[in-house]
């Protein structure tokens, strides 16, 4: 089957375009004859590390070794070529179990360390397996290529070295892509809205601020949960269009809310890791605030504790820049990570929000351990001069415990109010 007329000069396997042309004939034949095709992908990611250590030539030698060892296990009837960052093997007439067995043999060979100029490397690449058409269906080659790339990405996230893709994996891929297609249209079609949840001084019941929360109702998908669409917005980069929209709308609403609740009223806005890691964050915030004709002093920009721990220097630089613009900053979901007093003392923060997982247990078991954790967080926050907010407040008992036994002043949660539109907010609390 191999006709090496369009070969990668270094690896001596088909180039991506040549492989696609030949694979299309294999898939068409399988469709006509109702036979199977096995697919194996071997990821080249470890060779990138070799390149960073020893250069491009060493990396290419490692790739050649992967190709050579893989080819040594292949049957005569096969196609082998290079993808974007992987080795792709096409096996006409081979079903899933046989393909999986062969993939395990290839993985065993590739687990033998390679040596180059005195350095020894463990390759142990991820190996992906699927079967045409049962895993992907009778789709055209363009769709097979799209799906296959997603399969290889999925395999990279799993612990197993050899990963057999299933119909359920395909379903999840297609669902993500449905979300992505619709998400692109959400802003121009006016499908997003903001709702606001009150932040309350618990002893007096006075509403002192709120948190702006994004909601999406798609004509095709219906109401989509933020925990579903926000990760897709981050993965696709659409979050960089969504965040300015949120800041602008929240800024406009905050001017309206301040007229009802006073000039100290502030609206919290969540920033994603993608936002904070963007060098354009400050410029994005400035432009959105200019469009809303409001100032940064009226807003709290919230980040999660996990983001702080993942990239301290970047986060601290961004928060310092936000502070210079006059914005207030908040640390959300606090208590789920391992932030220290010294770290909290060094970062520019105004608000510390206790994660709801500690609050929601209080009236169930009244755990002394949970109370001690909340008190410790309170003490940390007070030592740093921060406003402490308890999230996830749902019952009167939780409020009483926090006021009388922990001395936390501010709360947010369904006990005080569910997220609602700005007009509903004013009707409920003004």
């Amino acid at each position: 089957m191999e006709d090496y007329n369009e070969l990668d000069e270094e690896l001596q396997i088909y180039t991506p375009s040549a492989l696609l042309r030949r694979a299309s004939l294999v898939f068409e034949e399988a469709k006509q004859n109702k036979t199977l095709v096995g697919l194996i992908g071997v990821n080249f990611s470890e060779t990138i590390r070799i390149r960073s250590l020893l250069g491009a030539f060493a990396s290419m030698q490692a790739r050649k070794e992967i190709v050579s060892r893989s080819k040594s296990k292949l049957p005569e009837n096969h196609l082998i070529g290079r993808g974007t960052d992987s080795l792709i093997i096409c096996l006409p007439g081979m079903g899933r179990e046989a393909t999986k067995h062969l993939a395990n043999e290839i993985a065993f060979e590739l687990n033998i360390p390679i040596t180059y100029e005195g350095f020894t490397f463990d390759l142990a690449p991820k190996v992906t397996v699927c079967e045409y058409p049962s895993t992907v269906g009778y789709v055209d080659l363009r769709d097979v290529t799209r799906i296959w790339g997603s399969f290889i990405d999925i395999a990279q996230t799993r612990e197993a070295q050899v990963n057999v893709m299933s119909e359920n994996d395909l379903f999840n891929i297609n669902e993500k892509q449905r979300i992505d297609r619709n998400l692109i249209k959400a802003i121009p079609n006016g499908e997003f809205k903001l709702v606001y949840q009150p932040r309350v001084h618990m002893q007096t019941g006075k509403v002192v601020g709120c948190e702006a929360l994004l909601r999406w109702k798609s004509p095709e998908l219906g109401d989509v949960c933020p925990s579903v669409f926000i990760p897709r917005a981050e993965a696709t980069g659409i979050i960089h269009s969504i965040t300015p929209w949120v800041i602008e709308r929240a800024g406009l609403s905050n001017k309206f809310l301040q007229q009802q609740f006073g000039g100290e009223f502030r609206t919290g806005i969540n920033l994603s890791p993608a936002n904070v890691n963007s060098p354009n964050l400050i410029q994005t915030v400035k432009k959105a605030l200019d469009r809303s004709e409001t100032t940064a002093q009226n807003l709290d920009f919230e980040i999660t504790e996990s983001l702080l721990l993942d990239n301290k220097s970047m986060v601290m630089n961004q928060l310092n820049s936000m502070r210079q613009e006059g914005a207030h900053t908040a640390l959300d979901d606090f208590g789920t990570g391992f932030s220290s007093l010294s770290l909290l003392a060094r970062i520019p923060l105004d608000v510390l929000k206790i994660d709801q997982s500690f609050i929601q247990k209080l009236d169930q078991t009244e755990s002394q351990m949970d109370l001690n954790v909340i008190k410790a967080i309170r003490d940390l926050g007070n030592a740093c001069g921060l406003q402490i907010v308890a999230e996830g407040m749902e019952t009167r008992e939780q409020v009483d415990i926090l006021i009388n036994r922990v001395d936390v002043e501010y709360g947010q949660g369904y006990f005080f109010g569910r997220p609602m539109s700005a007009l509903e907010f004013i009707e409920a609390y003004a």
Side-chain angles (χ1 to χ4, degrees), residues 11 39 53 56 120 128 131 196 247 252 264 306 325 334 350 419:
L11 298 177
L39 291 168
L53 292 172
T120 300
T128 308
E131 178 187 83
Y196 303 87
I247 295 171
L252 288 168
E264 297 299 314
S306 58
E325 295 301 319
F334 187 79
D350 299 283

Side-chain angles (χ1 to χ4, degrees), residues 117-279:
E117 293 189 351
F119 293 90
T120 300
F121 295 94
D122 291 314
L123 292 174
K126 297 286 187 179
V127 181
T128 308
V129 175
C130 82
E131 178 187 83
Y132 177 89
S134 60
T135 308
V136 298
Y138 285 117
V139 293
D140 63 30
L141 187 62
R142 182 171 54 186
D143 284 333
V144 171
T145 304
R146 170 181 58 81
I147 294 166
W148 182 243
S150 298
F151 280 165
I152 290 178
D153 291 341
I154 290 172
Q156 285 297 102
T157 67
R158 293 180 176 172
E159 292 186 11
Q161 184 178 6
V162 176
N163 291 273
V164 180
M165 297 296 117
S166 66
E167 291 79 359
N168 187 57
D169 291 315
L170 177 62
F171 174 81
N172 290 335
I173 289 169
N174 287 334
E175 282 300 294
K176 288 179 180 178
Q177 290 172 347
R178 281 182 70 210
I179 291 170
D180 296 348
R181 286 195 305 271
N182 284 276
L183 201 51
I184 291 172
K185 302 178 288 186
I187 290 179
N189 291 350
E191 297 168 15
F192 285 136
K193 70 175 181 179
L194 289 182
V195 291
Y196 303 87
Q197 188 171 38
R199 183 164 71 243
V200 175
H201 186 273
M202 289 192 286
Q203 285 188 324
T204 64
K206 180 183 178 181
V207 175
V208 296
C210 66
E211 180 177 356
L213 300 167
L214 184 64
R215 297 292 183 261
W216 178 31
K217 186 169 186 177
S218 162
E220 179 181 338
L221 305 174
D223 290 315
V224 186
C225 181
S227 63
V228 172
F229 75 80
I230 293 296
R232 296 311 308 157
E234 292 175 342
T236 58
I238 298 172
I239 193 70
H240 297 297
S241 297
I242 293 175
T243 300
W245 184 92
V246 170
I247 295 171
E248 182 179 349
R249 296 307 188 279
L252 288 168
S253 293
N254 193 78
K255 288 197 302 182
F256 191 39
L257 293 168
Q258 279 190 336
Q259 292 173 6
Q260 306 295 323
F261 297 98
E264 297 299 314
F265 187 96
R266 299 202 306 266
T267 297
I269 296 173
N270 293 286
L271 295 178
S272 79
N275 296 142
V276 177
N277 290 323
S278 169

